[in-house]
Amino acid sequence: MWPAPPQIGFAGGALDRAAHLRDRAAAERLRDAVDSKVVLVGKGQEVATAGEGGGLALVPTSALPADAELTFLGLDTGGTAVFAYDAAAGAPATGQIFEFVPLRSLAGELTPAEAALAAYAVPLIGWHRVTRFCGRCGNATEVEAAGHRRRCPVCGLVQFPRTDPAITMLVQSGDRCVLSRRVGVVEGRWSALAGFVEPGETPEAAVVREAREETGVEVVAVEYVTSQPWPFPQALMIGFWAFVDTAAAGVKLTPDPAELLTARWWWRDELERAVRDGTVSPPPSGTIGNYLITTWLAGDTM
Ligand SMILES: [Zn+2]
Protein backbone atom coordinates (compact mmCIF):
# COMPACT_ATOMS: atom_id res chain seq x y z
CA MET A 1 0.00 0.00 0.00
CA TRP A 2 1.56 3.27 -1.10
CA PRO A 3 1.58 5.92 0.14
CA ALA A 4 1.51 4.24 3.53
CA PRO A 5 -1.69 4.77 5.53
CA PRO A 6 -1.31 7.92 7.68
CA GLN A 7 -1.60 5.79 10.84
CA ILE A 8 1.79 4.21 10.10
CA GLY A 9 4.56 6.07 11.93
CA PHE A 10 8.00 6.78 10.42
CA ALA A 11 6.57 6.26 6.91
CA GLY A 12 5.53 9.84 6.20
CA GLY A 13 8.75 11.03 4.65
CA ALA A 14 8.71 13.58 1.87
CA LEU A 15 12.50 13.92 1.71
CA ASP A 16 14.08 13.56 -1.73
CA ARG A 17 17.04 11.27 -1.06
CA ALA A 18 18.78 12.76 -4.11
CA ALA A 19 21.25 9.88 -4.48
CA HIS A 20 22.76 11.64 -7.50
CA LEU A 21 24.17 14.25 -5.08
CA ARG A 22 26.14 11.74 -3.02
CA ASP A 23 29.44 12.36 -4.81
CA ARG A 24 32.10 14.30 -2.92
CA ALA A 25 31.85 17.58 -4.84
CA ALA A 26 28.07 17.80 -4.64
CA ALA A 27 27.99 16.85 -0.96
CA GLU A 28 30.62 19.47 -0.09
CA ARG A 29 28.77 22.14 -2.04
CA LEU A 30 25.52 21.31 -0.24
CA ARG A 31 27.26 21.25 3.12
CA ASP A 32 28.55 24.79 2.51
CA ALA A 33 25.13 26.13 1.50
CA VAL A 34 23.91 28.64 4.10
CA ASP A 35 20.57 26.97 4.74
CA SER A 36 21.82 23.36 5.03
CA LYS A 37 20.88 21.68 8.27
CA VAL A 38 21.80 18.71 10.39
CA VAL A 39 19.94 16.12 12.47
CA LEU A 40 22.00 15.34 15.59
CA VAL A 41 21.99 11.70 16.68
CA GLY A 42 23.01 11.22 20.29
CA LYS A 43 24.24 8.11 22.05
CA GLY A 44 22.23 4.97 21.48
CA GLN A 45 19.15 5.95 19.49
CA GLU A 46 18.70 9.47 20.80
CA VAL A 47 17.95 12.47 18.63
CA ALA A 48 18.31 16.14 19.51
CA THR A 49 15.01 17.90 20.12
CA ALA A 50 14.34 21.55 20.77
CA GLY A 51 13.05 20.69 24.25
CA GLU A 52 9.53 19.91 25.44
CA GLY A 53 7.16 19.83 22.45
CA GLY A 54 9.68 21.63 20.26
CA GLY A 55 10.09 18.87 17.71
CA LEU A 56 13.28 17.72 16.05
CA ALA A 57 16.19 20.15 16.42
CA LEU A 58 18.02 20.97 13.21
CA VAL A 59 21.29 22.90 13.37
CA PRO A 60 23.06 24.72 10.55
CA THR A 61 25.99 22.78 9.05
CA SER A 62 28.16 25.81 9.80
CA ALA A 63 27.76 25.08 13.54
CA LEU A 64 29.79 21.89 13.14
CA PRO A 65 33.58 21.61 12.86
CA ALA A 66 34.81 21.76 9.26
CA ASP A 67 36.08 18.18 9.46
CA ALA A 68 32.90 16.76 11.04
CA GLU A 69 31.76 13.57 9.30
CA LEU A 70 28.29 14.30 7.91
CA THR A 71 25.99 11.87 6.15
CA PHE A 72 23.87 13.43 3.41
CA LEU A 73 20.21 12.49 3.86
CA GLY A 74 18.65 14.40 0.98
CA LEU A 75 16.73 17.54 0.09
CA ASP A 76 13.62 18.61 1.96
CA THR A 77 10.50 19.80 0.15
CA GLY A 78 11.97 23.32 0.00
CA GLY A 79 15.18 22.01 -1.61
CA THR A 80 17.28 22.46 1.54
CA ALA A 81 20.01 19.85 2.10
CA VAL A 82 19.67 17.79 5.28
CA PHE A 83 22.53 15.85 6.88
CA ALA A 84 22.95 13.55 9.88
CA TYR A 85 25.76 13.82 12.44
CA ASP A 86 26.94 11.49 15.18
CA ALA A 87 26.72 13.70 18.27
CA ALA A 88 27.30 10.88 20.78
CA ALA A 89 30.30 12.82 22.07
CA GLY A 90 28.20 15.96 22.56
CA ALA A 91 26.20 18.57 20.71
CA PRO A 92 27.94 21.46 18.91
CA ALA A 93 28.00 24.83 20.69
CA THR A 94 25.35 26.75 18.76
CA GLY A 95 23.65 28.66 21.55
CA GLN A 96 20.59 26.47 20.97
CA ILE A 97 19.33 24.34 23.83
CA PHE A 98 19.02 20.66 22.91
CA GLU A 99 17.52 17.77 24.68
CA PHE A 100 18.56 14.32 23.49
CA VAL A 101 15.57 11.98 23.67
CA PRO A 102 15.34 8.28 22.68
CA LEU A 103 13.56 8.09 19.32
CA ARG A 104 11.29 5.31 20.59
CA SER A 105 9.73 7.57 23.22
CA LEU A 106 9.42 10.50 20.80
CA ALA A 107 7.46 8.83 18.03
CA GLY A 108 4.08 10.31 18.97
CA GLU A 109 5.43 13.86 19.40
CA LEU A 110 7.11 14.40 16.05
CA THR A 111 5.39 15.46 12.86
CA PRO A 112 5.23 12.65 10.25
CA ALA A 113 8.04 14.30 8.29
CA GLU A 114 10.23 14.68 11.41
CA ALA A 115 9.58 11.08 12.46
CA ALA A 116 10.52 9.81 9.00
CA LEU A 117 13.68 11.94 9.02
CA ALA A 118 14.69 10.62 12.45
CA ALA A 119 13.94 7.04 11.37
CA TYR A 120 16.35 7.58 8.47
CA ALA A 121 19.13 9.35 10.40
CA VAL A 122 19.26 7.14 13.50
CA PRO A 123 19.84 3.76 11.79
CA LEU A 124 22.36 5.31 9.36
CA ILE A 125 24.44 6.75 12.19
CA GLY A 126 24.05 3.47 14.09
CA TRP A 127 25.40 1.64 11.03
CA HIS A 128 28.46 3.96 10.81
CA ARG A 129 29.20 3.23 14.46
CA VAL A 130 29.51 -0.52 13.87
CA THR A 131 31.31 -0.46 10.51
CA ARG A 132 34.33 1.68 11.35
CA PHE A 133 36.46 -1.40 10.87
CA CYS A 134 36.44 -3.92 8.07
CA GLY A 135 34.54 -7.12 8.86
CA ARG A 136 36.95 -9.12 6.69
CA CYS A 137 40.44 -7.84 7.49
CA GLY A 138 39.95 -5.55 10.51
CA ASN A 139 41.44 -2.37 9.03
CA ALA A 140 39.76 1.02 9.42
CA THR A 141 37.16 1.71 6.72
CA GLU A 142 36.66 4.95 4.80
CA VAL A 143 33.40 6.78 4.16
CA GLU A 144 32.19 7.16 0.57
CA ALA A 145 29.01 8.31 -1.19
CA ALA A 146 28.38 11.12 1.33
CA GLY A 147 27.99 8.55 4.10
CA HIS A 148 26.08 5.83 2.23
CA ARG A 149 29.00 3.45 1.74
CA ARG A 150 32.14 2.41 3.63
CA ARG A 151 35.12 0.87 1.90
CA CYS A 152 38.13 -0.92 3.31
CA PRO A 153 41.24 0.63 1.68
CA VAL A 154 43.25 -2.55 2.34
CA CYS A 155 41.10 -5.44 1.06
CA GLY A 156 38.46 -3.44 -0.85
CA LEU A 157 35.40 -4.75 1.01
CA VAL A 158 32.46 -2.38 0.48
CA GLN A 159 29.69 -2.16 3.06
CA PHE A 160 26.28 -0.57 2.60
CA PRO A 161 23.76 0.59 5.23
CA ARG A 162 21.76 -2.35 6.48
CA THR A 163 18.01 -2.88 6.79
CA ASP A 164 16.71 -6.07 8.37
CA PRO A 165 13.38 -7.31 6.98
CA ALA A 166 10.93 -8.36 9.66
CA ILE A 167 7.36 -9.55 9.31
CA THR A 168 4.24 -9.14 11.39
CA MET A 169 0.96 -10.80 10.57
CA LEU A 170 -2.57 -10.98 11.82
CA VAL A 171 -3.44 -14.67 11.63
CA GLN A 172 -7.17 -14.97 11.02
CA SER A 173 -10.10 -17.00 9.80
CA GLY A 174 -13.47 -15.32 9.36
CA ASP A 175 -14.40 -13.59 12.61
CA ARG A 176 -11.48 -14.95 14.60
CA CYS A 177 -7.86 -13.83 14.86
CA VAL A 178 -4.75 -14.86 16.78
CA LEU A 179 -3.08 -12.48 19.22
CA SER A 180 -0.17 -13.25 21.51
CA ARG A 181 1.58 -11.83 24.52
CA ARG A 182 5.32 -11.68 23.95
CA VAL A 183 7.78 -12.35 26.74
CA GLY A 184 8.56 -9.09 28.55
CA VAL A 185 5.56 -7.02 27.37
CA VAL A 186 3.56 -4.66 29.58
CA GLU A 187 0.44 -5.88 31.38
CA GLY A 188 -2.54 -6.28 29.04
CA ARG A 189 -0.55 -5.97 25.81
CA TRP A 190 -1.67 -8.39 23.08
CA SER A 191 -0.04 -8.24 19.65
CA ALA A 192 0.00 -9.79 16.21
CA LEU A 193 2.68 -12.44 15.65
CA ALA A 194 6.03 -11.24 14.34
CA GLY A 195 9.56 -12.33 13.52
CA PHE A 196 12.58 -11.77 11.30
CA VAL A 197 13.00 -12.93 7.71
CA GLU A 198 15.91 -15.36 7.57
CA PRO A 199 18.58 -15.55 4.84
CA GLY A 200 17.27 -17.25 1.73
CA GLU A 201 13.64 -16.74 2.72
CA THR A 202 10.81 -14.66 1.27
CA PRO A 203 8.72 -12.51 3.66
CA GLU A 204 5.68 -14.69 2.85
CA ALA A 205 7.55 -17.88 3.73
CA ALA A 206 8.68 -16.22 6.97
CA VAL A 207 5.03 -15.51 7.84
CA VAL A 208 4.14 -19.19 7.41
CA ARG A 209 7.22 -20.40 9.32
CA GLU A 210 6.90 -17.94 12.22
CA ALA A 211 3.19 -18.67 12.66
CA ARG A 212 3.97 -22.39 12.81
CA GLU A 213 6.98 -21.99 15.15
CA GLU A 214 5.31 -19.56 17.52
CA THR A 215 1.81 -21.05 17.76
CA GLY A 216 1.62 -24.29 15.73
CA VAL A 217 -0.96 -22.77 13.38
CA GLU A 218 -0.80 -23.59 9.64
CA VAL A 219 -1.16 -20.52 7.42
CA VAL A 220 -2.57 -21.32 3.96
CA ALA A 221 -2.66 -17.86 2.36
CA VAL A 222 -0.66 -14.66 2.90
CA GLU A 223 -1.57 -11.20 1.72
CA TYR A 224 0.66 -8.11 1.91
CA VAL A 225 -0.89 -5.11 3.67
CA THR A 226 1.72 -2.38 4.15
CA SER A 227 5.18 -1.79 5.59
CA GLN A 228 6.90 0.47 8.09
CA PRO A 229 10.47 1.60 8.68
CA TRP A 230 11.18 0.36 12.20
CA PRO A 231 14.44 1.91 13.34
CA PHE A 232 14.97 -0.23 16.46
CA PRO A 233 17.67 -0.68 15.50
CA GLN A 234 17.29 -1.01 11.69
CA ALA A 235 14.31 -3.13 10.69
CA LEU A 236 11.77 -2.83 7.92
CA MET A 237 8.50 -4.19 9.30
CA ILE A 238 6.38 -5.82 6.58
CA GLY A 239 2.73 -6.38 7.53
CA PHE A 240 0.50 -9.20 6.27
CA TRP A 241 -2.88 -10.79 6.69
CA ALA A 242 -2.30 -14.51 7.24
CA PHE A 243 -5.25 -16.82 6.64
CA VAL A 244 -5.85 -20.30 8.02
CA ASP A 245 -8.45 -22.88 6.99
CA THR A 246 -11.84 -22.63 8.67
CA ALA A 247 -11.26 -26.05 10.21
CA ALA A 248 -8.11 -24.78 11.95
CA ALA A 249 -9.76 -21.65 13.36
CA GLY A 250 -10.14 -21.81 17.13
CA VAL A 251 -7.98 -24.94 17.48
CA LYS A 252 -5.84 -24.72 20.61
CA LEU A 253 -2.49 -23.06 19.91
CA THR A 254 0.91 -24.18 21.16
CA PRO A 255 2.76 -20.97 22.08
CA ASP A 256 6.55 -21.21 21.90
CA PRO A 257 7.59 -20.51 25.52
CA ALA A 258 10.89 -18.97 24.43
CA GLU A 259 9.03 -16.18 22.63
CA LEU A 260 5.49 -16.01 23.93
CA LEU A 261 3.82 -15.92 27.32
CA THR A 262 0.61 -17.01 25.65
CA ALA A 263 -1.34 -16.93 22.38
CA ARG A 264 -5.01 -17.55 21.66
CA TRP A 265 -7.85 -17.10 19.21
CA TRP A 266 -10.14 -14.11 19.72
CA TRP A 267 -13.62 -13.56 18.33
CA ARG A 268 -13.96 -10.13 16.72
CA ASP A 269 -16.72 -8.91 19.08
CA GLU A 270 -14.94 -10.35 22.11
CA LEU A 271 -11.70 -8.54 21.19
CA GLU A 272 -13.63 -5.34 20.50
CA ARG A 273 -15.10 -5.43 24.02
CA ALA A 274 -11.75 -6.25 25.62
CA VAL A 275 -10.05 -3.32 23.86
CA ARG A 276 -12.89 -1.01 24.83
CA ASP A 277 -12.86 -1.98 28.53
CA GLY A 278 -9.04 -1.89 28.64
CA THR A 279 -8.45 -5.58 29.39
CA VAL A 280 -6.57 -5.82 26.11
CA SER A 281 -4.18 -3.09 25.10
CA PRO A 282 -3.05 -3.37 21.46
CA PRO A 283 0.40 -2.07 20.44
CA PRO A 284 0.66 1.76 20.52
CA SER A 285 -0.90 3.78 17.72
CA GLY A 286 1.60 4.54 14.97
CA THR A 287 2.77 0.92 14.83
CA ILE A 288 1.89 -1.47 12.05
CA GLY A 289 0.71 -3.94 14.71
CA ASN A 290 -1.88 -1.44 15.90
CA TYR A 291 -2.93 -0.78 12.30
CA LEU A 292 -3.46 -4.49 11.58
CA ILE A 293 -5.57 -5.04 14.70
CA THR A 294 -7.71 -1.91 14.43
CA THR A 295 -8.28 -2.44 10.70
CA TRP A 296 -9.34 -6.04 11.29
CA LEU A 297 -11.63 -5.01 14.16
CA ALA A 298 -13.30 -2.50 11.85
CA GLY A 299 -13.96 -5.38 9.45
CA ASP A 300 -11.69 -3.93 6.78
CA THR A 301 -9.61 -7.02 6.10
CA MET A 302 -9.10 -7.15 2.36
ZN1 LIG B 1 39.35 -5.10 4.70
Side-chain angles (χ1 to χ4, degrees):
M1 195 185 297
W2 189 86
Q7 300 96 313
I8 303 289
F10 303 125
L15 197 78
D16 173 3
R17 294 184 179 226
H20 62 289
L21 298 175
R22 289 177 187 168
D23 65 274
R24 188 182 296 266
E28 280 176 6
R29 195 177 68 246
L30 290 166
R31 178 187 179 132
D32 291 341
V34 286
D35 58 346
S36 292
K37 50 200 182 184
V38 186
V39 179
L40 304 176
V41 179
K43 60 183 193 303
Q45 295 208 300
E46 292 177 345
V47 285
T49 67
E52 190 73 27
L56 201 62
L58 294 165
V59 306
T61 46
S62 57
L64 292 159
D67 61 349
E69 189 182 296
L70 299 187
T71 293
F72 175 58
L73 298 179
L75 304 174
D76 71 13
T77 48
T80 297
V82 186
F83 292 83
Y85 174 68
D86 187 347
T94 62
Q96 282 172 268
I97 308 286
F98 303 118
E99 193 185 339
F100 282 94
V101 181
L103 178 55
R104 193 183 275 274
S105 63
L106 256 188
E109 295 170 35
L110 300 177
T111 65
E114 287 176 334
L117 191 58
Y120 179 16
V122 166
L124 258 181
I125 295 298
W127 170 76
H128 279 295
R129 287 173 180 164
V130 298
T131 48
R132 301 211 172 278
F133 296 92
C134 177
R136 187 156 63 194
C137 77
N139 276 282
T141 55
E142 292 173 353
V143 176
E144 293 184 345
H148 292 264
R149 200 164 64 214
R150 295 188 78 103
R151 182 186 298 272
C152 172
V154 177
C155 77
L157 181 72
V158 176
Q159 297 184 78
F160 295 93
R162 188 177 131 180
T163 296
D164 302 331
I167 45 100
T168 182
M169 61 287 195
L170 194 70
V171 172
Q172 60 193 280
S173 180
D175 277 332
R176 282 192 275 204
C177 79
V178 170
L179 294 185
S180 68
R181 286 181 45 70
R182 297 201 85 78
V183 172
V185 292
V186 296
E187 189 62 32
R189 170 65 43 78
W190 287 80
S191 316
L193 302 178
F196 280 100
V197 180
E198 295 190 345
E201 191 174 48
T202 63
E204 291 84 353
V207 167
V208 175
R209 175 183 55 76
E210 285 284 352
R212 186 186 297 137
E213 285 175 4
E214 291 197 338
T215 66
V217 79
E218 279 304 316
V219 168
V220 295
V222 176
E223 204 172 289
Y224 171 72
V225 179
T226 190
S227 62
Q228 174 176 42
W230 192 247
F232 309 109
Q234 70 258 324
L236 170 65
M237 194 60 84
I238 312 169
F240 294 91
W241 303 131
F243 301 97
V244 305
D245 272 339
T246 322
V251 171
K252 195 169 163 43
L253 303 172
T254 51
D256 172 7
E259 306 256 356
L260 303 181
L261 298 171
T262 184
R264 53 160 286 200
W265 286 95
W266 291 81
W267 288 100
R268 200 186 308 257
D269 53 359
E270 176 195 17
L271 182 58
E272 209 160 46
R273 276 197 307 276
V275 170
R276 208 175 326 121
D277 71 21
T279 336
V280 163
S281 130
S285 61
T287 62
I288 199 166
N290 181 283
Y291 179 78
L292 292 178
I293 294 170
T294 53
T295 304
W296 183 80
L297 278 177
D300 290 342
T301 300
M302 284 177 286

